[in-house]
Amino acid sequence: MRLVQLKGKVDGGWSKWGFWSPCTKTCAGGTHYQERTCSDPPPANGGKQCTGPQRQTGTCNTHACPTTPPPTTTTTALTTPTPTTPSPGCGVVPADIVFILDSSGSVGSANYQKMLQFVQNMVQGFTIGPNETEIAVVTFSNKPKLEFHLNKYHDKQSIVNAISNIGYVAGGTNTADALKYARETSFTTANGKRPNAAQIAIVITDGMSNSAGATATEAAQLRGDGITVFSVGVGSGPKTTELNAMATDPDNQHVFVVNNFDALTQIKGTLAQKACEVCGAQADIVFLLDSSGSVGRANFNKMLKFVTSVSNSFKIGPHDVQIGVDTFQTSHKTEFTLNAHLQKADLVTAVNSIAYHSGSTHTGEAIQYLHNTSFTTAAGHRPNVPKIAIVVTDGNSNNRQLTAAAS
């Protein structure tokens, strides 16, 4: 008599909700959303799909818009390298993103096209440019194949067109060599890696690699070089242990599992948002707030609310974003330095405790003070971390020439 063991059905379970998307409005009631995936666990052996919504929406920034003109905001980048402009909801530094795509025989041509469409859709969600997000693509089967480097294309349409022209190869699943190629070749200065950009690798595969040990070793070296790794497993082929071994932080949604290539669309928003979070991990930001007589106490309090709102959008800490505040009028002063408040609650309390003083608008001297004092090691500035100054003022400085020179 032959005994046959039948595997039981596994019903799908929802993952944790992802982070909220950026709010659609800054005041008067906007909306944002968060998404989850049917991957904890995914349905198996005929099990049921998850029931309920994959996305939920909520209201945000419900406070009324100001009825009086708010103070103007000027951002001055103090970094020596090319200044960076934050993408909407996508951190304070640019990103170098390398997609590493499985072109092995188990994928098949039809599914491979779905994978390429998924990457194109993700690219559409980023602001592309030499000072923004740059994209590279590497494919792999028996060996890795360069499709294009980070410094090849600098506009969205060119990248989308290039992805459309990527061919399917078939072969084995040599993930380890693909990760090694990305580390040794893709993430290099010669091929477009930028010193002040976040480095991100997104690996998409439908099966087990031909050497799990080598894959784990290469992934560890990739992460050791400061590259954040996301792993996306499609179908029942990829082992969870191998996906976890590749990813930077498996417990913080750096690992995604979907049932099939059609289901890649379900994780696009969450994966893009998680990648954006990497772009805001580190920055030293100092606000320079106008406390002159023309501002008035009520508007000064609105400035403080603005600082609080910006602070709440970042992860605060010694290894993440640090925030300091200076104020100025006839004189200038440090309210608190970059390293004074490294927990968000303490930071918000300190911001709300800043007093209004009144006086003249000596902007130029205040910016000079910012340069010379606020972005120093003693004040908490970290080497190789972007320096960002945000100057908030409501009026003309008393010496425009000095202000221009100081900026």
Side-chain angles (χ1 to χ4, degrees):
M1 181 176 67
R2 183 182 179 187
L3 297 177
V4 178
Q5 183 177 359
L6 299 176
K7 294 183 179 180
K9 294 182 179 180
V10 177
D11 293 336
W14 288 112
S15 67
K16 295 179 181 178
W17 287 104
F19 282 72
W20 287 103
S21 67
C23 193
T24 57
K25 293 184 179 180
T26 58
C27 59
T31 59
H32 58 177
Y33 67 88
Q34 58 181 178
E35 295 179 326
R36 57 183 178 174
T37 59
C38 191
S39 59
D40 189 22
N45 307 319
K48 297 179 181 177
Q49 289 283 344
C50 298
T51 58
Q54 184 255 335
R55 172 186 289 194
Q56 67 177 4
T57 60
T59 57
C60 50
N61 292 339
T62 56
H63 58 279
C65 293
T67 56
T68 58
T72 58
T73 302
T74 304
T75 302
T76 304
L78 301 180
T79 47
T80 302
T82 304
T84 61
T85 304
S87 303
C90 208
V92 296
V93 294
D96 294 334
I97 302 179
V98 177
F99 287 90
I100 305 172
L101 308 180
D102 185 349
S103 180
S104 63
S106 57
V107 173
S109 181
N111 283 331
Y112 192 69
Q113 293 304 314
K114 294 175 184 177
M115 188 191 304
L116 297 182
Q117 183 63 57
F118 169 74
V119 177
Q120 288 176 313
N121 290 341
M122 282 204 66
V123 169
Q124 295 285 4
F126 296 116
T127 302
I128 303 297
N131 297 325
E132 303 286 352
T133 299
E134 297 278 52
I135 302 291
V137 176
V138 173
T139 58
F140 69 96
S141 53
N142 291 323
K143 60 182 180 180
K145 179 179 182 291
L146 168 68
E147 301 300 340
F148 55 87
H149 280 312
L150 291 162
N151 53 5
K152 176 67 174 178
Y153 303 111
H154 304 294
D155 66 276
K156 190 174 294 185
Q157 193 57 52
S158 294
I159 295 174
V160 170
N161 291 343
I163 293 171
S164 298
N165 294 324
I166 294 176
Y168 175 57
V169 178
T173 311
N174 191 346
T175 314
D177 278 359
L179 298 177
K180 182 179 181 180
Y181 180 89
R183 176 174 58 86
E184 294 182 346
T185 306
S186 299
F187 287 107
T188 61
T189 303
N191 292 320
K193 175 185 174 182
R194 295 166 292 175
N196 286 334
Q199 272 79 52
I200 300 170
I202 299 177
V203 186
I204 307 178
T205 180
D206 84 322
M208 292 180 288
S209 67
N210 58 9
S211 176
T215 298
T217 299
E218 290 297 338
Q221 293 189 57
L222 196 64
R223 298 193 305 269
D225 284 354
I227 298 162
T228 300
V229 182
F230 292 88
S231 59
V232 180
V234 183
S236 59
K239 275 191 173 181
T240 303
T241 53
E242 191 168 327
L243 295 172
N244 290 344
M246 280 194 288
T248 294
D249 185 358
D251 295 327
N252 194 26
Q253 286 191 306
H254 286 72
V255 175
F256 295 82
V257 180
V258 294
N259 293 333
N260 51 54
F261 284 89
D262 289 316
L264 283 172
T265 57
Q266 297 176 6
I267 66 168
K268 177 179 69 70
T270 305
L271 178 55
Q273 184 66 24
K274 294 299 292 185
C276 283
E277 289 169 22
V278 178
C279 307
Q282 282 195 321
D284 287 339
I285 304 173
V286 176
F287 288 89
L288 180 59
L289 306 181
D290 184 350
S291 181
S292 63
S294 58
V295 172
R297 188 177 302 277
N299 282 330
F300 187 74
N301 288 335
K302 292 175 183 177
M303 284 191 194
L304 299 184
K305 288 183 179 179
F306 167 70
V307 176
T308 298
S309 176
V310 174
S311 300
N312 279 327
S313 68
F314 295 119
K315 183 178 180 182
I316 303 297
H319 304 294
D320 299 292
V321 173
Q322 295 185 157
I323 291 179
V325 176
D326 294 348
T327 57
F328 72 97
Q329 16 83 31
T330 306
S331 60
H332 43 262
K333 65 175 292 192
T334 298
E335 298 294 344
F336 55 84
T337 59
L338 289 162
N339 55 3
H341 302 290
L342 300 179
Q343 294 185 1
K344 186 173 291 186
D346 294 339
L347 174 65
V348 170
T349 299
V351 170
N352 292 328
S353 300
I354 296 174
Y356 172 64
H357 293 289
S358 188
S360 299
T361 312
H362 287 236
T363 314
E365 293 93 333
I367 293 176
Q368 286 181 332
Y369 176 80
L370 188 77
H371 276 280
N372 298 331
T373 306
S374 302
F375 286 106
T376 62
T377 302
H381 172 59
R382 298 161 293 179
N384 301 318
V385 171
K387 297 183 290 185
I388 299 174
I390 300 178
V391 184
V392 187
T393 179
D394 84 322
N396 296 325
S397 66
N398 70 330
N399 187 331
R400 293 186 179 182
Q401 189 173 6
L402 176 61
T403 299
S407 300

PDB file of all heavy atoms in Angstrom, residues 17 24 46 57 111 142 156 188 212 233 240 251 275 290 298 334 366 372 377:
ATOM      1  N   TRP A  17       0.043  46.851   7.920  1.00  0.00           N
ATOM      2  CA  TRP A  17      -0.171  48.008   7.054  1.00  0.00           C
ATOM      3  C   TRP A  17       1.147  48.717   6.811  1.00  0.00           C
ATOM      4  O   TRP A  17       1.964  48.874   7.720  1.00  0.00           O
ATOM      5  CB  TRP A  17      -1.163  48.984   7.685  1.00  0.00           C
ATOM      6  CG  TRP A  17      -2.583  48.508   7.678  1.00  0.00           C
ATOM      7  CD1 TRP A  17      -3.300  48.021   8.720  1.00  0.00           C
ATOM      8  CD2 TRP A  17      -3.464  48.466   6.546  1.00  0.00           C
ATOM      9  NE1 TRP A  17      -4.568  47.676   8.318  1.00  0.00           N
ATOM     10  CE2 TRP A  17      -4.706  47.947   6.995  1.00  0.00           C
ATOM     11  CE3 TRP A  17      -3.331  48.830   5.206  1.00  0.00           C
ATOM     12  CZ2 TRP A  17      -5.795  47.780   6.143  1.00  0.00           C
ATOM     13  CZ3 TRP A  17      -4.420  48.663   4.365  1.00  0.00           C
ATOM     14  CH2 TRP A  17      -5.639  48.139   4.818  1.00  0.00           C
ATOM     15  N   THR A  24      -2.357  64.711   0.434  1.00  0.00           N
ATOM     16  CA  THR A  24      -2.630  65.411  -0.826  1.00  0.00           C
ATOM     17  C   THR A  24      -2.762  66.917  -0.635  1.00  0.00           C
ATOM     18  O   THR A  24      -2.695  67.668  -1.603  1.00  0.00           O
ATOM     19  CB  THR A  24      -3.933  64.887  -1.467  1.00  0.00           C
ATOM     20  OG1 THR A  24      -5.019  65.050  -0.533  1.00  0.00           O
ATOM     21  CG2 THR A  24      -3.802  63.430  -1.849  1.00  0.00           C
ATOM     22  N   GLY A  46      -4.548  25.755  -2.569  1.00  0.00           N
ATOM     23  CA  GLY A  46      -5.976  25.989  -2.736  1.00  0.00           C
ATOM     24  C   GLY A  46      -6.610  26.782  -1.621  1.00  0.00           C
ATOM     25  O   GLY A  46      -7.843  26.875  -1.536  1.00  0.00           O
ATOM     26  N   THR A  57      -7.801  54.408   3.184  1.00  0.00           N
ATOM     27  CA  THR A  57      -7.523  55.834   3.087  1.00  0.00           C
ATOM     28  C   THR A  57      -7.935  56.526   4.374  1.00  0.00           C
ATOM     29  O   THR A  57      -8.749  56.011   5.148  1.00  0.00           O
ATOM     30  CB  THR A  57      -8.263  56.465   1.899  1.00  0.00           C
ATOM     31  OG1 THR A  57      -9.678  56.270   2.071  1.00  0.00           O
ATOM     32  CG2 THR A  57      -7.836  55.838   0.590  1.00  0.00           C
ATOM     33  N   ASN A 111       5.377  36.351 -18.119  1.00  0.00           N
ATOM     34  CA  ASN A 111       5.563  36.886 -16.769  1.00  0.00           C
ATOM     35  C   ASN A 111       6.702  37.898 -16.724  1.00  0.00           C
ATOM     36  O   ASN A 111       6.684  38.837 -15.936  1.00  0.00           O
ATOM     37  CB  ASN A 111       5.832  35.756 -15.777  1.00  0.00           C
ATOM     38  CG  ASN A 111       4.572  35.009 -15.402  1.00  0.00           C
ATOM     39  OD1 ASN A 111       3.484  35.576 -15.409  1.00  0.00           O
ATOM     40  ND2 ASN A 111       4.720  33.738 -15.095  1.00  0.00           N
ATOM     41  N   ASN A 142      21.741  32.571 -15.908  1.00  0.00           N
ATOM     42  CA  ASN A 142      22.993  31.886 -15.578  1.00  0.00           C
ATOM     43  C   ASN A 142      24.087  32.861 -15.155  1.00  0.00           C
ATOM     44  O   ASN A 142      24.979  32.516 -14.382  1.00  0.00           O
ATOM     45  CB  ASN A 142      23.481  31.070 -16.785  1.00  0.00           C
ATOM     46  CG  ASN A 142      22.574  29.888 -17.076  1.00  0.00           C
ATOM     47  OD1 ASN A 142      22.050  29.256 -16.158  1.00  0.00           O
ATOM     48  ND2 ASN A 142      22.371  29.588 -18.350  1.00  0.00           N
ATOM     49  N   LYS A 156      12.514  60.457 -17.154  1.00  0.00           N
ATOM     50  CA  LYS A 156      11.606  59.333 -16.916  1.00  0.00           C
ATOM     51  C   LYS A 156      11.270  58.569 -18.199  1.00  0.00           C
ATOM     52  O   LYS A 156      11.295  57.330 -18.221  1.00  0.00           O
ATOM     53  CB  LYS A 156      10.338  59.855 -16.245  1.00  0.00           C
ATOM     54  CG  LYS A 156       9.413  58.775 -15.717  1.00  0.00           C
ATOM     55  CD  LYS A 156       8.255  59.396 -14.940  1.00  0.00           C
ATOM     56  CE  LYS A 156       8.738  60.089 -13.689  1.00  0.00           C
ATOM     57  NZ  LYS A 156       7.623  60.594 -12.859  1.00  0.00           N
ATOM     58  N   THR A 188      29.041  51.943  -8.426  1.00  0.00           N
ATOM     59  CA  THR A 188      30.373  52.547  -8.456  1.00  0.00           C
ATOM     60  C   THR A 188      30.260  53.959  -9.004  1.00  0.00           C
ATOM     61  O   THR A 188      29.342  54.274  -9.769  1.00  0.00           O
ATOM     62  CB  THR A 188      31.347  51.741  -9.337  1.00  0.00           C
ATOM     63  OG1 THR A 188      30.847  51.714 -10.686  1.00  0.00           O
ATOM     64  CG2 THR A 188      31.515  50.325  -8.816  1.00  0.00           C
ATOM     65  N   ALA A 212      22.097  29.083  -2.276  1.00  0.00           N
ATOM     66  CA  ALA A 212      21.562  29.955  -1.232  1.00  0.00           C
ATOM     67  C   ALA A 212      22.674  30.549  -0.377  1.00  0.00           C
ATOM     68  O   ALA A 212      22.618  31.719   0.023  1.00  0.00           O
ATOM     69  CB  ALA A 212      20.580  29.179  -0.360  1.00  0.00           C
ATOM     70  N   GLY A 233       9.707  38.242  -3.734  1.00  0.00           N
ATOM     71  CA  GLY A 233       9.532  36.872  -4.190  1.00  0.00           C
ATOM     72  C   GLY A 233       8.176  36.687  -4.839  1.00  0.00           C
ATOM     73  O   GLY A 233       7.155  37.150  -4.318  1.00  0.00           O
ATOM     74  N   THR A 240      11.382  31.680   1.744  1.00  0.00           N
ATOM     75  CA  THR A 240      11.327  32.846   2.623  1.00  0.00           C
ATOM     76  C   THR A 240      12.660  33.089   3.302  1.00  0.00           C
ATOM     77  O   THR A 240      13.096  34.233   3.460  1.00  0.00           O
ATOM     78  CB  THR A 240      10.223  32.666   3.670  1.00  0.00           C
ATOM     79  OG1 THR A 240       8.966  32.454   3.016  1.00  0.00           O
ATOM     80  CG2 THR A 240      10.107  33.898   4.564  1.00  0.00           C
ATOM     81  N   ASP A 251      12.009  42.355   8.994  1.00  0.00           N
ATOM     82  CA  ASP A 251      10.889  42.657   9.884  1.00  0.00           C
ATOM     83  C   ASP A 251      10.278  44.026   9.624  1.00  0.00           C
ATOM     84  O   ASP A 251       9.276  44.379  10.220  1.00  0.00           O
ATOM     85  CB  ASP A 251      11.345  42.579  11.346  1.00  0.00           C
ATOM     86  CG  ASP A 251      11.756  41.163  11.745  1.00  0.00           C
ATOM     87  OD1 ASP A 251      11.143  40.219  11.217  1.00  0.00           O
ATOM     88  OD2 ASP A 251      12.675  41.020  12.564  1.00  0.00           O
ATOM     89  N   ALA A 275      10.940  52.513  -0.234  1.00  0.00           N
ATOM     90  CA  ALA A 275      12.166  53.009  -0.862  1.00  0.00           C
ATOM     91  C   ALA A 275      12.345  54.490  -0.591  1.00  0.00           C
ATOM     92  O   ALA A 275      13.460  54.970  -0.346  1.00  0.00           O
ATOM     93  CB  ALA A 275      12.131  52.743  -2.367  1.00  0.00           C
ATOM     94  N   ASP A 290      12.600  83.856  11.600  1.00  0.00           N
ATOM     95  CA  ASP A 290      12.516  85.300  11.755  1.00  0.00           C
ATOM     96  C   ASP A 290      11.634  85.626  12.965  1.00  0.00           C
ATOM     97  O   ASP A 290      10.437  85.326  12.982  1.00  0.00           O
ATOM     98  CB  ASP A 290      11.918  85.899  10.479  1.00  0.00           C
ATOM     99  CG  ASP A 290      11.864  87.404  10.488  1.00  0.00           C
ATOM    100  OD1 ASP A 290      12.117  88.023  11.540  1.00  0.00           O
ATOM    101  OD2 ASP A 290      11.569  87.971   9.418  1.00  0.00           O
ATOM    102  N   ALA A 298       1.482  85.889  16.741  1.00  0.00           N
ATOM    103  CA  ALA A 298       0.585  84.881  16.155  1.00  0.00           C
ATOM    104  C   ALA A 298       1.241  84.180  14.969  1.00  0.00           C
ATOM    105  O   ALA A 298       1.187  82.951  14.844  1.00  0.00           O
ATOM    106  CB  ALA A 298      -0.732  85.526  15.732  1.00  0.00           C
ATOM    107  N   THR A 334      21.027  80.565  19.090  1.00  0.00           N
ATOM    108  CA  THR A 334      20.707  79.150  18.933  1.00  0.00           C
ATOM    109  C   THR A 334      19.641  78.779  19.945  1.00  0.00           C
ATOM    110  O   THR A 334      19.850  78.925  21.154  1.00  0.00           O
ATOM    111  CB  THR A 334      21.957  78.274  19.164  1.00  0.00           C
ATOM    112  OG1 THR A 334      22.946  78.596  18.177  1.00  0.00           O
ATOM    113  CG2 THR A 334      21.613  76.797  19.078  1.00  0.00           C
ATOM    114  N   ALA A 366      22.434  86.652  10.669  1.00  0.00           N
ATOM    115  CA  ALA A 366      21.923  85.364  11.159  1.00  0.00           C
ATOM    116  C   ALA A 366      22.380  84.209  10.268  1.00  0.00           C
ATOM    117  O   ALA A 366      22.734  83.131  10.759  1.00  0.00           O
ATOM    118  CB  ALA A 366      20.394  85.401  11.229  1.00  0.00           C
ATOM    119  N   ASN A 372      28.675  79.520  10.409  1.00  0.00           N
ATOM    120  CA  ASN A 372      29.861  79.403  11.258  1.00  0.00           C
ATOM    121  C   ASN A 372      29.649  78.597  12.523  1.00  0.00           C
ATOM    122  O   ASN A 372      30.613  78.080  13.097  1.00  0.00           O
ATOM    123  CB  ASN A 372      30.364  80.807  11.635  1.00  0.00           C
ATOM    124  CG  ASN A 372      30.774  81.621  10.427  1.00  0.00           C
ATOM    125  OD1 ASN A 372      31.199  81.062   9.418  1.00  0.00           O
ATOM    126  ND2 ASN A 372      30.633  82.936  10.509  1.00  0.00           N
ATOM    127  N   THR A 377      30.790  70.442  14.137  1.00  0.00           N
ATOM    128  CA  THR A 377      30.817  69.184  14.889  1.00  0.00           C
ATOM    129  C   THR A 377      30.342  69.394  16.313  1.00  0.00           C
ATOM    130  O   THR A 377      29.612  68.575  16.880  1.00  0.00           O
ATOM    131  CB  THR A 377      32.245  68.599  14.885  1.00  0.00           C
ATOM    132  OG1 THR A 377      32.664  68.402  13.536  1.00  0.00           O
ATOM    133  CG2 THR A 377      32.286  67.264  15.622  1.00  0.00           C
TER     134      THR A 377
END
